[in-house]
Amino acid sequence: MSGLKQYWQGLEARERRLLLIGGGLALAIVFYSLLWEPWHERIRSLRVEVPSKYQDLVWLTWQKDHLRGVLSKKQARALSKPASVLTFIEQSATRLGLRKSLSISPGRNGQTRIIIKQAPFDQALAFAQALSKAGFRLEAVLFKGADTPGQVDATLTIGG
């Protein structure tokens, strides 16, 4: 350290001033290139990125609220759904006066097939609506006119 001090004092005032200015300039360049510029570049990129991320947040919040509503409806349907599909079908058919013209059979992949023969169209349609309102997924509904006017043959498939 004393050698450096002797070297410094051996320099003339003009040389010392030149070294101080050059050292300060070199220090400023290093500070600018290693700290200042990367920091400001990051700020510039964040000014572009933050509004985009905010839009994503708004969209995700909307999706969360939307899905919460959908899940609430499905949970409500599941709670209102009777313990047995067959029990509900029989109770609804009896209430609508369709029990005698109704037959139930298992379908593929856990589906239930309901066949209604020679029933009034309004009652058959009310039966399909009752199933849908109770939360059952009607995968297929087929109404065909029967021989008697106002009567239909219907086939309904409820998803598993």
Side-chain angles (χ1 to χ4, degrees):
M1 189 75 168
S2 64
L4 188 58
K5 194 173 189 182
Q6 284 177 349
Y7 174 76
W8 181 257
Q9 289 179 355
L11 294 174
E12 291 188 28
R14 190 181 76 158
E15 292 173 330
R16 278 188 242 155
R17 201 175 27 236
L18 186 61
L19 280 175
L20 283 174
I21 291 171
L25 191 58
L27 188 62
I29 290 171
V30 168
F31 172 77
Y32 179 79
S33 63
L34 294 180
L35 297 173
W36 189 265
E37 180 58 27
W39 182 47
H40 280 274
E41 181 59 36
R42 182 68 181 142
I43 289 172
R44 272 181 258 157
S45 71
L46 285 175
R47 284 188 178 145
V48 172
E49 193 176 324
V50 167
S52 172
K53 295 298 181 185
Y54 181 74
Q55 288 176 342
D56 291 346
L57 174 66
V58 169
W59 183 80
L60 286 171
T61 303
W62 181 85
Q63 288 294 329
K64 177 193 69 156
D65 294 340
H66 176 71
L67 289 175
R68 185 174 288 147
V70 168
L71 290 176
S72 296
K73 288 176 187 173
K74 283 188 177 184
Q75 289 168 346
R77 283 183 187 159
L79 291 175
S80 67
K81 198 180 278 191
S84 168
V85 174
L86 297 177
T87 303
F88 180 80
I89 292 170
E90 289 179 7
Q91 288 173 350
S92 296
T94 303
R95 188 178 73 250
L96 292 168
L98 294 173
R99 185 65 194 109
K100 292 180 183 173
S101 56
L102 185 91
S103 66
I104 303 167
S105 63
R108 289 180 271 144
N109 301 327
Q111 296 173 329
T112 303
R113 176 177 243 145
I114 304 164
I115 299 171
I116 303 170
K117 298 265 186 197
Q118 297 289 320
F121 175 74
D122 292 341
Q123 291 173 333
L125 185 61
F127 178 71
Q129 288 175 331
L131 290 173
S132 180
K133 284 182 182 176
F136 293 104
R137 189 178 67 219
L138 296 173
E139 292 187 354
V141 178
L142 175 66
F143 288 98
K144 289 191 310 189
D147 296 334
T148 310
Q151 302 284 311
V152 293
D153 293 334
T155 304
L156 299 112
T157 305
I158 298 174

